[in-house]
Amino acid sequence: WLLLKRWPSAGNTGGMVIQSIPTLIVTRPEPGGAAFAARIGQPAILSPLMVPEFLPVRLPEAQALILTSPMAVEALRRLAQPLPRLAFCVGDATAAAARDLGLQADSAAGDAEALLALILRARPQGRLLHVCGAETRGDLVARLQAAGFAAMAQVVYAQHPHPLTAQAVA
């Protein structure tokens, strides 16, 4: 989410109205919030509404990973344990983060439906592990199990609500 704030015009000079550049309030969690603000190229106030908590878990053995967010990839990086080589990713940003971690990542370039379709087409062998946050959508694991795959989920992070910063409120 982002909110735009337009400051009042600086006045009328020579028949032209001069307006300041809008200030963005970027509410996306880090590190994505700062990266988004940098891509926009306008003044921004970073004020994440959610803060991740990375959980100290041990991943079960699997032959391939299912990744539905760059946050899950960051959680994997923090776990520092051996990983399967293959990863099925929901989108390009997640796949890029997985590749940076050294994984062979395929992107569904979409949503949970596109990711499910990618996995069904690829027909990977062995256990699939959906590395995810505490809240998920799309019921991927149950749908893969119903299609005959050995699939399970492992929660590796949670997101907690966080209030706007004082600067964002002002």
Side-chain angles (χ1 to χ4, degrees):
W1 292 94
L2 67 97
L3 305 172
L4 295 176
K5 182 175 183 180
R6 185 167 299 279
W7 298 99
S9 68
N12 194 338
T13 56
M16 296 178 58
V17 174
I18 300 171
Q19 294 184 337
S20 64
I21 297 172
T23 299
L24 302 176
I25 300 175
V26 179
T27 59
R28 189 175 193 177
E30 290 305 330
F36 176 78
R39 281 194 314 273
I40 297 298
Q42 291 182 277
I45 297 170
L46 301 179
S47 184
L49 292 180
M50 302 296 276
V51 175
E53 173 191 4
F54 297 101
L55 306 175
V57 299
R58 183 89 180 136
L59 297 179
E61 188 175 318
Q63 282 62 54
L65 299 172
I66 300 170
L67 302 170
T68 49
S69 74
M71 196 71 71
V73 178
E74 178 59 27
L76 289 175
R77 184 181 319 281
R78 292 167 182 254
L79 290 178
Q81 74 177 72
L83 300 172
R85 186 97 178 100
L86 180 60
F88 294 96
C89 303
V90 70
D92 295 340
T94 303
R99 286 184 199 108
D100 287 346
L101 192 59
L103 303 176
Q104 176 188 331
D106 289 333
S107 173
D111 56 12
E113 296 302 315
L115 180 56
L116 178 64
L118 172 67
I119 296 168
L120 293 176
R121 280 191 312 272
R123 306 288 314 162
Q125 299 299 306
R127 181 185 291 168
L128 303 175
L129 180 62
H130 181 194
V131 178
C132 58
E135 296 180 30
T136 62
R137 290 185 281 165
D139 209 10
L140 276 172
V141 169
R143 294 168 73 191
L144 287 166
Q145 289 171 341
F149 289 89
M152 63 181 296
Q154 175 67 60
V155 174
V156 293
Y157 71 95
Q159 298 219 63
H160 304 289
H162 191 270
L164 286 172
T165 64
Q167 185 183 18
V169 170

